[in-house]
Amino acid sequence: MTNTPVLPKKGQRNVLITSALPYVNNHPHLGNIVGSVLSADVFARFSRLRGHTTLYICGTDEYGTATETKAIEDGVTPKELCDKYHPLHAEVYRWFEIEFDIFGRTTTSQQTEIAQDIFLKLHKNGYMEEKTSTQPYCEQHSSFLADRFVEGECPRCGYDKARGDQCDRCGHLLDPFDLINPRCKLDGATPVPRETKHIHLLLDKLQPAIEEWSSKAIEDGAWSKNGRVITESWLKEGLQDRAITRDLKWGTPIPLPGYEDKVLYVWFDACIGYVSITANYTSEWEKWWRDPENVKLYQFLGKDNVPFHTVIFPGSQLGTGDKWTMLNHLSTTEYLTYENGKFSKSHGVGVFGNNARDTGVPPSVWRYYLLSSRPETGDTQFEWRTFILKNNSELLANLGNFVNRLIKFTNAKFESVVPEYNPDDVSDPIFSTFRDDINGLLKQYITDLEAVHLRSGLERAMAISARGNQFLSDNKLDNTLLAQSPGRANAVVNLGLNLVYLLASLISPYMPSTAQNMVEQLQTSLLPIHDVWDETALKGGHEIGKARYLFTRIGEKKEQEWREMYGGTQAERLKKEGEKAKKAAKKAKSKAAKNGGGGGGEVGRGVDNGGGGKEEKLLSKEVIDKLPPPPEEAVAVEKGMGQLNVAD
């Protein structure tokens, strides 16, 4: 955001925000986006507009088995995989208008230095112990298998593609030997048990300190219910020591002799990534991470990541004996499901970030839909029908209508100048009731956002817009009012435009480009969010710009089109697109043969003319550029066509 690092200020409210670090092995899907980075972005934008010193940290989680697995599947090194996907993640988040202060990486020297420092202090303080354990070993390719390299049937729910560390269906944490009919993910061989040495973090020894800290933090920070329940459940069951090293090559090196061929387990050092990414942002990182008296830490994540943020990372901080800024507020979400199924990066199910961009629907609409459906207290479902309905019936009919109606009227009847009005013209109780209603809703909005009730806050903002529409209707703003009661018309337009100005700030955390469009039409800049509405912020005599539409209607036919386009897995979609391209290539070859060869003209495609036959219709380059990539045999025929990049 700025070349000068944001640093906490004594005596002021300093807010440190993190969102769960996404694995770097694929494009993020919508569930990932709303559960962490988008939710954190809303709160960060709100916090800045409230005048708080705010730092928002995120980055890609690049070490660990998931990266090694994907790299092997793709035939590249882990580093090459990370170098490919980090910018792809960054581009998706840029498109969604996520405003990080830094979007970093965990594969840095700062990560190694800070993680090893924490490790050595825990080791020195007696919270680590070497143990011999039995781990799965693949005799087929002579290697120990990390948990994620083992797949099989979940003993709890029967899911036949459960991983050796966790079941994607029921969320239960697993040991590889818990699986029924386990198999090596790389070659399908049945793994055998074999002994290996590892360092264990003695969480049982840390439990009293973790319990003392968490009982206070849960209440003081008003954690989300699911975060509280999951944490208390772990503590009630009793913490067990867990191995924090793995037989891998890709990870943070272990600073102990005899462990040169092992690395830190990703669940131990991933949360340390928040600290190391801050250290990459500023050399004065300790001002954020070692000042609990002056810094409040807000963390955003899905419920499956709760124990790592509320038990393991805090336990590691406490075990070092150092002074740390620790978790204040935990905002966790349930699952966002996709059209009666579950999003899954590993299985390519659902809409991914790049797919959202490819629909042509603006980021603000996507942000609005996801945040209005944010799974705060229970699972919610992504549905194309609801997506279209929210755009047309809420954004367009409510907010878009209010803003466009007022600005158009001001352009046409007041030569784009905010009218002045006499206080006597607003003596009617309808005006005082209007002010009271707006301030009441504003107070609720601020309360919701401060408590990180993001979905409710968005509902309050839209309620303010709806109250604005009601205000215009109650006063019957039209040519007749202007002719018969010009003073009242002036007051209605003036107050209405000032409400648009307020709404721009309130909407900004949720739909930043829409808010920017609004203030550009008002020819001003965003206001801070104050406790009370300043109804005189836009003065009489201020000149505004020309009206522009904030939203456009989405046709109902798009529902089926998008459902078919993004149904199934990514692999299935690629297969369908490949088949389409193959058919197109055959038609092109046939046309070329019929015309006596393949000269350098445009490629014709058969288009149904509504009768019994087909008519040939030439496609423009703009349309051609949106076609899927052709298979190899079609390249010669379709040479020169733009290709659409599709996610792996």
Side-chain angles (χ1 to χ4, degrees), residues 294-542:
N294 290 292
V295 175
K296 296 295 184 185
L297 173 59
Y298 288 73
Q299 298 197 284
F300 291 79
L301 48 134
K303 67 179 179 181
D304 50 340
N305 280 321
V306 167
F308 309 114
H309 291 75
T310 66
V311 175
I312 294 164
F313 183 50
S316 300
Q317 290 176 302
L318 293 166
T320 64
D322 292 338
K323 187 178 183 180
W324 283 99
T325 299
M326 298 182 67
L327 172 62
N328 174 55
H329 180 85
L330 178 71
S331 179
T332 53
T333 54
E334 301 287 329
Y335 293 126
L336 176 71
T337 60
Y338 174 74
E339 294 276 1
N340 298 311
K342 184 179 177 183
F343 282 95
S344 172
K345 270 197 300 191
S346 57
H347 298 108
V349 176
V351 179
F352 287 66
N354 53 315
N355 302 143
R357 178 185 58 208
D358 295 341
T359 62
V361 177
S364 277
V365 176
W366 280 100
R367 287 175 63 112
Y368 177 82
Y369 175 79
L370 291 172
L371 291 161
S372 65
S373 307
R374 186 174 185 256
E376 294 181 351
T377 56
D379 293 351
T380 58
Q381 182 165 247
F382 176 92
E383 294 179 321
W384 288 110
R385 179 185 59 81
T386 312
F387 177 78
I388 294 170
L389 188 66
K390 282 184 175 290
N391 177 82
N392 295 346
S393 300
E394 296 177 17
L395 290 177
L396 187 60
N398 180 357
L399 181 61
N401 177 67
F402 176 60
V403 174
N404 192 255
R405 180 181 175 187
L406 258 175
I407 293 182
K408 268 189 172 180
F409 194 83
T410 308
N411 291 157
K413 306 302 178 183
F414 295 95
E415 297 182 338
S416 301
V417 174
V418 178
E420 296 181 354
Y421 66 91
N422 191 305
D424 293 339
D425 295 321
V426 293
S427 57
D428 189 317
I430 199 171
F431 289 95
S432 58
T433 300
F434 173 61
R435 290 191 192 93
D436 291 344
D437 288 349
I438 297 302
N439 278 308
L441 288 167
L442 175 59
K443 182 179 180 180
Q444 292 174 331
Y445 169 93
I446 292 171
T447 299
D448 285 334
L449 268 291
E450 293 284 5
V452 200
H453 298 155
L454 306 184
R455 193 169 70 186
S456 180
L458 180 55
E459 290 169 359
R460 306 293 186 198
M462 294 300 286
I464 289 174
S465 175
R467 186 63 181 88
N469 275 310
Q470 181 189 342
F471 177 67
L472 301 186
S473 298
D474 288 347
N475 284 281
K476 298 180 174 58
L477 179 64
D478 57 15
N479 291 337
T480 302
L481 180 70
L482 185 60
Q484 296 179 356
S485 304
R488 188 182 187 92
N490 289 356
V492 170
V493 171
N494 183 297
L495 291 171
L497 289 171
N498 270 289
L499 186 60
V500 171
Y501 198 8
L502 171 67
L503 272 169
S505 293
L506 303 185
I507 287 295
S508 180
Y510 296 95
M511 297 181 284
S513 59
T514 297
Q516 185 59 32
N517 189 344
M518 291 164 68
V519 293
E520 285 176 1
Q521 291 183 58
L522 295 176
Q523 295 193 156
T524 185
S525 55
L526 282 177
L527 280 172
I529 298 176
H530 296 299
D531 292 339
V532 178
W533 175 34
D534 180 4
E535 63 187 68
T536 63
L538 279 182
K539 308 295 183 186
H542 173 80

Side-chain angles (χ1 to χ4, degrees), residues 560-576:
Q560 189 59 30
E561 178 186 326
W562 284 332
R563 184 177 287 118
E564 290 176 1
M565 187 179 297
Y566 300 113
T569 67
Q570 286 186 313
E572 290 169 343
R573 293 197 292 272
L574 284 170
K575 183 179 178 182
K576 287 180 182 178

Side-chain angles (χ1 to χ4, degrees), residues 534-553:
D534 180 4
E535 63 187 68
T536 63
L538 279 182
K539 308 295 183 186
H542 173 80
E543 185 173 349
I544 67 171
K546 297 300 179 185
R548 302 199 304 263
Y549 291 115
L550 296 180
F551 309 103
T552 56
R553 183 174 180 79

Side-chain angles (χ1 to χ4, degrees), residues 21 59-63 86 104-112 252 266 269-274 276-277 280:
L21 306 181
T60 42
D61 182 4
E62 302 191 353
Y63 283 139
H86 175 81
R105 310 175 69 165
T106 55
T107 50
T108 65
S109 60
Q110 287 89 340
Q111 173 75 8
T112 300
T252 301
V266 68
D269 76 341
C271 288
I272 299 171
Y274 300 129
S276 72
I277 290 170
N280 275 275

